[in-house]
PDB file of all heavy atoms in Angstrom:
ATOM      1  N   ARG A   1       0.420 250.231  47.267  1.00  0.00           N
ATOM      2  CA  ARG A   1      -0.603 249.264  47.362  1.00  0.00           C
ATOM      3  C   ARG A   1      -0.475 248.189  46.244  1.00  0.00           C
ATOM      4  O   ARG A   1      -1.333 247.298  46.074  1.00  0.00           O
ATOM      5  CB  ARG A   1      -1.954 249.968  47.244  1.00  0.00           C
ATOM      6  CG  ARG A   1      -2.295 250.854  48.413  1.00  0.00           C
ATOM      7  CD  ARG A   1      -3.613 251.468  48.344  1.00  0.00           C
ATOM      8  NE  ARG A   1      -3.827 252.303  49.545  1.00  0.00           N
ATOM      9  CZ  ARG A   1      -4.922 253.146  49.760  1.00  0.00           C
ATOM     10  NH1 ARG A   1      -5.773 253.267  48.799  1.00  0.00           N
ATOM     11  NH2 ARG A   1      -4.968 253.883  50.836  1.00  0.00           N
ATOM     12  N   GLY A   2       0.658 248.152  45.547  1.00  0.00           N
ATOM     13  CA  GLY A   2       0.953 247.073  44.624  1.00  0.00           C
ATOM     14  C   GLY A   2       0.083 247.117  43.313  1.00  0.00           C
ATOM     15  O   GLY A   2      -0.014 246.149  42.681  1.00  0.00           O
ATOM     16  N   GLU A   3      -0.327 248.325  42.987  1.00  0.00           N
ATOM     17  CA  GLU A   3      -1.175 248.479  41.797  1.00  0.00           C
ATOM     18  C   GLU A   3      -0.371 248.822  40.572  1.00  0.00           C
ATOM     19  O   GLU A   3      -0.914 248.992  39.464  1.00  0.00           O
ATOM     20  CB  GLU A   3      -2.221 249.511  42.051  1.00  0.00           C
ATOM     21  CG  GLU A   3      -3.245 249.074  43.122  1.00  0.00           C
ATOM     22  CD  GLU A   3      -4.114 250.238  43.683  1.00  0.00           C
ATOM     23  OE1 GLU A   3      -4.067 251.301  43.086  1.00  0.00           O
ATOM     24  OE2 GLU A   3      -4.831 250.056  44.689  1.00  0.00           O
ATOM     25  N   VAL A   4       0.980 249.014  40.713  1.00  0.00           N
ATOM     26  CA  VAL A   4       1.876 249.193  39.536  1.00  0.00           C
ATOM     27  C   VAL A   4       2.843 248.035  39.592  1.00  0.00           C
ATOM     28  O   VAL A   4       3.519 247.866  40.612  1.00  0.00           O
ATOM     29  CB  VAL A   4       2.586 250.575  39.710  1.00  0.00           C
ATOM     30  CG1 VAL A   4       3.538 250.684  38.505  1.00  0.00           C
ATOM     31  CG2 VAL A   4       1.591 251.672  39.694  1.00  0.00           C
ATOM     32  N   ILE A   5       2.921 247.279  38.497  1.00  0.00           N
ATOM     33  CA  ILE A   5       3.746 246.049  38.470  1.00  0.00           C
ATOM     34  C   ILE A   5       4.531 245.991  37.166  1.00  0.00           C
ATOM     35  O   ILE A   5       4.080 246.268  36.030  1.00  0.00           O
ATOM     36  CB  ILE A   5       2.812 244.818  38.547  1.00  0.00           C
ATOM     37  CG1 ILE A   5       2.025 244.773  39.889  1.00  0.00           C
ATOM     38  CG2 ILE A   5       3.618 243.497  38.345  1.00  0.00           C
ATOM     39  CD1 ILE A   5       1.013 243.721  39.917  1.00  0.00           C
ATOM     40  N   ALA A   6       5.827 245.582  37.353  1.00  0.00           N
ATOM     41  CA  ALA A   6       6.699 245.233  36.238  1.00  0.00           C
ATOM     42  C   ALA A   6       6.724 243.734  36.150  1.00  0.00           C
ATOM     43  O   ALA A   6       7.068 243.021  37.008  1.00  0.00           O
ATOM     44  CB  ALA A   6       8.118 245.828  36.442  1.00  0.00           C
ATOM     45  N   LYS A   7       6.289 243.264  34.943  1.00  0.00           N
ATOM     46  CA  LYS A   7       6.247 241.856  34.670  1.00  0.00           C
ATOM     47  C   LYS A   7       6.737 241.568  33.265  1.00  0.00           C
ATOM     48  O   LYS A   7       6.164 242.108  32.241  1.00  0.00           O
ATOM     49  CB  LYS A   7       4.810 241.355  34.914  1.00  0.00           C
ATOM     50  CG  LYS A   7       4.669 239.858  34.730  1.00  0.00           C
ATOM     51  CD  LYS A   7       3.172 239.397  35.084  1.00  0.00           C
ATOM     52  CE  LYS A   7       3.053 237.904  35.036  1.00  0.00           C
ATOM     53  NZ  LYS A   7       1.714 237.448  35.363  1.00  0.00           N
ATOM     54  N   GLY A   8       7.736 240.631  33.140  1.00  0.00           N
ATOM     55  CA  GLY A   8       8.276 240.378  31.829  1.00  0.00           C
ATOM     56  C   GLY A   8       8.750 241.579  31.143  1.00  0.00           C
ATOM     57  O   GLY A   8       9.627 242.251  31.628  1.00  0.00           O
ATOM     58  N   GLU A   9       8.240 241.824  29.935  1.00  0.00           N
ATOM     59  CA  GLU A   9       8.700 242.984  29.143  1.00  0.00           C
ATOM     60  C   GLU A   9       7.768 244.186  29.246  1.00  0.00           C
ATOM     61  O   GLU A   9       7.876 245.092  28.356  1.00  0.00           O
ATOM     62  CB  GLU A   9       8.812 242.564  27.767  1.00  0.00           C
ATOM     63  CG  GLU A   9       9.812 241.406  27.486  1.00  0.00           C
ATOM     64  CD  GLU A   9       9.832 240.937  25.996  1.00  0.00           C
ATOM     65  OE1 GLU A   9       8.980 241.417  25.273  1.00  0.00           O
ATOM     66  OE2 GLU A   9      10.778 240.246  25.713  1.00  0.00           O
ATOM     67  N   HIS A  10       6.933 244.255  30.325  1.00  0.00           N
ATOM     68  CA  HIS A  10       5.966 245.283  30.393  1.00  0.00           C
ATOM     69  C   HIS A  10       5.835 245.867  31.825  1.00  0.00           C
ATOM     70  O   HIS A  10       6.037 245.110  32.757  1.00  0.00           O
ATOM     71  CB  HIS A  10       4.514 244.868  29.860  1.00  0.00           C
ATOM     72  CG  HIS A  10       4.477 244.582  28.417  1.00  0.00           C
ATOM     73  ND1 HIS A  10       4.774 243.350  27.991  1.00  0.00           N
ATOM     74  CD2 HIS A  10       4.176 245.419  27.372  1.00  0.00           C
ATOM     75  CE1 HIS A  10       4.567 243.388  26.593  1.00  0.00           C
ATOM     76  NE2 HIS A  10       4.349 244.615  26.308  1.00  0.00           N
ATOM     77  N   LEU A  11       5.521 247.096  31.912  1.00  0.00           N
ATOM     78  CA  LEU A  11       5.183 247.758  33.084  1.00  0.00           C
ATOM     79  C   LEU A  11       3.688 248.059  33.057  1.00  0.00           C
ATOM     80  O   LEU A  11       3.206 248.648  32.174  1.00  0.00           O
ATOM     81  CB  LEU A  11       5.926 249.128  33.257  1.00  0.00           C
ATOM     82  CG  LEU A  11       5.528 249.959  34.529  1.00  0.00           C
ATOM     83  CD1 LEU A  11       6.123 249.281  35.778  1.00  0.00           C
ATOM     84  CD2 LEU A  11       6.166 251.404  34.413  1.00  0.00           C
ATOM     85  N   ARG A  12       2.961 247.582  34.096  1.00  0.00           N
ATOM     86  CA  ARG A  12       1.484 247.666  34.078  1.00  0.00           C
ATOM     87  C   ARG A  12       1.024 248.790  35.100  1.00  0.00           C
ATOM     88  O   ARG A  12       1.363 248.701  36.263  1.00  0.00           O
ATOM     89  CB  ARG A  12       0.850 246.343  34.499  1.00  0.00           C
ATOM     90  CG  ARG A  12      -0.649 246.303  34.171  1.00  0.00           C
ATOM     91  CD  ARG A  12      -1.291 244.901  34.521  1.00  0.00           C
ATOM     92  NE  ARG A  12      -1.391 244.790  35.949  1.00  0.00           N
ATOM     93  CZ  ARG A  12      -1.266 243.576  36.605  1.00  0.00           C
ATOM     94  NH1 ARG A  12      -0.977 242.510  35.863  1.00  0.00           N
ATOM     95  NH2 ARG A  12      -1.415 243.596  37.879  1.00  0.00           N
ATOM     96  N   LEU A  13       0.328 249.771  34.527  1.00  0.00           N
ATOM     97  CA  LEU A  13      -0.285 250.784  35.376  1.00  0.00           C
ATOM     98  C   LEU A  13      -1.769 250.769  35.115  1.00  0.00           C
ATOM     99  O   LEU A  13      -2.179 251.291  34.084  1.00  0.00           O
ATOM    100  CB  LEU A  13       0.358 252.185  35.028  1.00  0.00           C
ATOM    101  CG  LEU A  13       1.832 252.292  34.986  1.00  0.00           C
ATOM    102  CD1 LEU A  13       2.309 252.251  33.521  1.00  0.00           C
ATOM    103  CD2 LEU A  13       2.278 253.559  35.626  1.00  0.00           C
ATOM    104  N   GLY A  14      -2.502 250.214  36.027  1.00  0.00           N
ATOM    105  CA  GLY A  14      -3.986 250.095  35.756  1.00  0.00           C
ATOM    106  C   GLY A  14      -4.135 249.225  34.510  1.00  0.00           C
ATOM    107  O   GLY A  14      -3.703 248.097  34.464  1.00  0.00           O
ATOM    108  N   THR A  15      -4.904 249.804  33.553  1.00  0.00           N
ATOM    109  CA  THR A  15      -5.124 249.063  32.350  1.00  0.00           C
ATOM    110  C   THR A  15      -4.139 249.310  31.289  1.00  0.00           C
ATOM    111  O   THR A  15      -4.271 248.771  30.187  1.00  0.00           O
ATOM    112  CB  THR A  15      -6.596 249.378  31.767  1.00  0.00           C
ATOM    113  OG1 THR A  15      -6.627 250.786  31.599  1.00  0.00           O
ATOM    114  CG2 THR A  15      -7.621 249.006  32.804  1.00  0.00           C
ATOM    115  N   THR A  16      -3.118 250.157  31.565  1.00  0.00           N
ATOM    116  CA  THR A  16      -2.136 250.585  30.546  1.00  0.00           C
ATOM    117  C   THR A  16      -0.879 249.699  30.773  1.00  0.00           C
ATOM    118  O   THR A  16      -0.478 249.421  31.900  1.00  0.00           O
ATOM    119  CB  THR A  16      -1.758 252.036  30.798  1.00  0.00           C
ATOM    120  OG1 THR A  16      -2.932 252.814  30.658  1.00  0.00           O
ATOM    121  CG2 THR A  16      -0.670 252.475  29.744  1.00  0.00           C
ATOM    122  N   GLN A  17      -0.312 249.235  29.624  1.00  0.00           N
ATOM    123  CA  GLN A  17       0.901 248.534  29.674  1.00  0.00           C
ATOM    124  C   GLN A  17       1.995 249.248  28.832  1.00  0.00           C
ATOM    125  O   GLN A  17       1.688 249.697  27.758  1.00  0.00           O
ATOM    126  CB  GLN A  17       0.705 247.100  29.136  1.00  0.00           C
ATOM    127  CG  GLN A  17      -0.010 246.174  30.026  1.00  0.00           C
ATOM    128  CD  GLN A  17       0.246 244.740  29.695  1.00  0.00           C
ATOM    129  OE1 GLN A  17       0.806 243.975  30.486  1.00  0.00           O
ATOM    130  NE2 GLN A  17      -0.184 244.326  28.472  1.00  0.00           N
ATOM    131  N   LEU A  18       3.157 249.414  29.407  1.00  0.00           N
ATOM    132  CA  LEU A  18       4.269 250.085  28.830  1.00  0.00           C
ATOM    133  C   LEU A  18       5.347 249.099  28.487  1.00  0.00           C
ATOM    134  O   LEU A  18       5.699 248.239  29.392  1.00  0.00           O
ATOM    135  CB  LEU A  18       4.795 251.221  29.664  1.00  0.00           C
ATOM    136  CG  LEU A  18       3.811 252.268  30.060  1.00  0.00           C
ATOM    137  CD1 LEU A  18       4.580 253.241  31.046  1.00  0.00           C
ATOM    138  CD2 LEU A  18       3.303 253.032  28.886  1.00  0.00           C
ATOM    139  N   PRO A  19       5.941 249.121  27.320  1.00  0.00           N
ATOM    140  CA  PRO A  19       7.043 248.179  27.026  1.00  0.00           C
ATOM    141  C   PRO A  19       8.299 248.575  27.858  1.00  0.00           C
ATOM    142  O   PRO A  19       8.664 249.732  28.014  1.00  0.00           O
ATOM    143  CB  PRO A  19       7.287 248.364  25.580  1.00  0.00           C
ATOM    144  CG  PRO A  19       6.859 249.729  25.218  1.00  0.00           C
ATOM    145  CD  PRO A  19       5.626 250.037  26.225  1.00  0.00           C
ATOM    146  N   LEU A  20       9.062 247.631  28.284  1.00  0.00           N
ATOM    147  CA  LEU A  20      10.292 247.801  29.022  1.00  0.00           C
ATOM    148  C   LEU A  20      11.429 247.334  28.121  1.00  0.00           C
ATOM    149  O   LEU A  20      11.352 246.358  27.479  1.00  0.00           O
ATOM    150  CB  LEU A  20      10.323 246.940  30.306  1.00  0.00           C
ATOM    151  CG  LEU A  20       9.362 247.339  31.386  1.00  0.00           C
ATOM    152  CD1 LEU A  20       9.379 246.290  32.575  1.00  0.00           C
ATOM    153  CD2 LEU A  20       9.650 248.741  31.948  1.00  0.00           C
ATOM    154  N   PRO A  21      12.537 248.147  28.143  1.00  0.00           N
ATOM    155  CA  PRO A  21      13.684 247.815  27.325  1.00  0.00           C
ATOM    156  C   PRO A  21      14.316 246.539  27.794  1.00  0.00           C
ATOM    157  O   PRO A  21      14.466 246.324  28.980  1.00  0.00           O
ATOM    158  CB  PRO A  21      14.655 248.985  27.451  1.00  0.00           C
ATOM    159  CG  PRO A  21      14.166 249.684  28.684  1.00  0.00           C
ATOM    160  CD  PRO A  21      12.691 249.439  28.815  1.00  0.00           C
ATOM    161  N   SER A  22      14.775 245.746  26.859  1.00  0.00           N
ATOM    162  CA  SER A  22      15.412 244.402  27.245  1.00  0.00           C
ATOM    163  C   SER A  22      16.735 244.616  28.055  1.00  0.00           C
ATOM    164  O   SER A  22      17.180 243.768  28.809  1.00  0.00           O
ATOM    165  CB  SER A  22      15.702 243.581  25.963  1.00  0.00           C
ATOM    166  OG  SER A  22      16.483 244.354  25.079  1.00  0.00           O
ATOM    167  N   THR A  23      17.320 245.843  27.845  1.00  0.00           N
ATOM    168  CA  THR A  23      18.543 246.125  28.494  1.00  0.00           C
ATOM    169  C   THR A  23      18.395 246.223  30.010  1.00  0.00           C
ATOM    170  O   THR A  23      19.410 246.121  30.793  1.00  0.00           O
ATOM    171  CB  THR A  23      19.156 247.483  28.055  1.00  0.00           C
ATOM    172  OG1 THR A  23      18.154 248.483  28.054  1.00  0.00           O
ATOM    173  CG2 THR A  23      19.715 247.282  26.610  1.00  0.00           C
ATOM    174  N   LEU A  24      17.157 246.313  30.540  1.00  0.00           N
ATOM    175  CA  LEU A  24      16.924 246.307  31.967  1.00  0.00           C
ATOM    176  C   LEU A  24      17.115 244.984  32.610  1.00  0.00           C
ATOM    177  O   LEU A  24      17.304 244.847  33.783  1.00  0.00           O
ATOM    178  CB  LEU A  24      15.518 246.807  32.324  1.00  0.00           C
ATOM    179  CG  LEU A  24      15.198 248.315  32.025  1.00  0.00           C
ATOM    180  CD1 LEU A  24      13.699 248.623  32.177  1.00  0.00           C
ATOM    181  CD2 LEU A  24      16.055 249.105  32.907  1.00  0.00           C
ATOM    182  N   GLY A  25      17.066 243.922  31.798  1.00  0.00           N
ATOM    183  CA  GLY A  25      17.311 242.575  32.293  1.00  0.00           C
ATOM    184  C   GLY A  25      16.332 242.099  33.370  1.00  0.00           C
ATOM    185  O   GLY A  25      16.693 241.401  34.293  1.00  0.00           O
ATOM    186  N   LEU A  26      15.034 242.466  33.219  1.00  0.00           N
ATOM    187  CA  LEU A  26      14.082 242.185  34.292  1.00  0.00           C
ATOM    188  C   LEU A  26      13.692 240.718  34.073  1.00  0.00           C
ATOM    189  O   LEU A  26      13.037 240.315  33.157  1.00  0.00           O
ATOM    190  CB  LEU A  26      12.858 243.106  34.189  1.00  0.00           C
ATOM    191  CG  LEU A  26      11.887 243.060  35.384  1.00  0.00           C
ATOM    192  CD1 LEU A  26      12.567 243.578  36.646  1.00  0.00           C
ATOM    193  CD2 LEU A  26      10.711 243.906  35.074  1.00  0.00           C
ATOM    194  N   SER A  27      13.986 239.857  35.110  1.00  0.00           N
ATOM    195  CA  SER A  27      13.712 238.445  34.934  1.00  0.00           C
ATOM    196  C   SER A  27      12.507 237.922  35.834  1.00  0.00           C
ATOM    197  O   SER A  27      12.232 236.713  35.780  1.00  0.00           O
ATOM    198  CB  SER A  27      14.983 237.611  35.233  1.00  0.00           C
ATOM    199  OG  SER A  27      15.443 237.969  36.583  1.00  0.00           O
ATOM    200  N   ARG A  28      12.055 238.808  36.674  1.00  0.00           N
ATOM    201  CA  ARG A  28      10.945 238.382  37.559  1.00  0.00           C
ATOM    202  C   ARG A  28       9.970 239.519  37.700  1.00  0.00           C
ATOM    203  O   ARG A  28      10.187 240.667  37.361  1.00  0.00           O
ATOM    204  CB  ARG A  28      11.593 238.076  38.965  1.00  0.00           C
ATOM    205  CG  ARG A  28      12.268 239.240  39.590  1.00  0.00           C
ATOM    206  CD  ARG A  28      12.950 238.789  40.908  1.00  0.00           C
ATOM    207  NE  ARG A  28      13.744 239.859  41.461  1.00  0.00           N
ATOM    208  CZ  ARG A  28      13.252 240.890  42.178  1.00  0.00           C
ATOM    209  NH1 ARG A  28      11.987 240.959  42.388  1.00  0.00           N
ATOM    210  NH2 ARG A  28      14.054 241.836  42.665  1.00  0.00           N
ATOM    211  N   THR A  29       8.766 239.142  38.225  1.00  0.00           N
ATOM    212  CA  THR A  29       7.719 240.121  38.432  1.00  0.00           C
ATOM    213  C   THR A  29       8.178 240.989  39.669  1.00  0.00           C
ATOM    214  O   THR A  29       8.664 240.512  40.666  1.00  0.00           O
ATOM    215  CB  THR A  29       6.417 239.464  38.827  1.00  0.00           C
ATOM    216  OG1 THR A  29       5.967 238.703  37.668  1.00  0.00           O
ATOM    217  CG2 THR A  29       5.401 240.467  39.146  1.00  0.00           C
ATOM    218  N   GLU A  30       7.926 242.299  39.556  1.00  0.00           N
ATOM    219  CA  GLU A  30       8.438 243.206  40.570  1.00  0.00           C
ATOM    220  C   GLU A  30       7.266 244.146  40.854  1.00  0.00           C
ATOM    221  O   GLU A  30       6.708 244.811  39.900  1.00  0.00           O
ATOM    222  CB  GLU A  30       9.695 243.871  40.115  1.00  0.00           C
ATOM    223  CG  GLU A  30      10.330 244.764  41.204  1.00  0.00           C
ATOM    224  CD  GLU A  30      11.638 245.312  40.840  1.00  0.00           C
ATOM    225  OE1 GLU A  30      12.194 244.942  39.759  1.00  0.00           O
ATOM    226  OE2 GLU A  30      12.265 246.043  41.669  1.00  0.00           O
TER     227      GLU A  30
END
């Protein structure tokens, strides 16, 4: 349902944000 999103340097789960390692090279919202 699109309620978990990776954006920039973070993974958003509800109100929780987790840092993403730069080595993942995520350049767009997913």
Side-chain angles (χ1 to χ4, degrees):
R1 293 182 179 171
E3 295 168 5
V4 178
I5 296 172
K7 185 176 183 180
E9 298 178 350
H10 292 90
L11 178 69
R12 193 178 74 213
L13 308 104
T15 58
T16 301
Q17 287 201 117
L18 303 175
L20 292 173
S22 59
T23 50
L24 290 174
L26 192 65
S27 59
R28 58 184 175 82
T29 299
E30 187 171 359

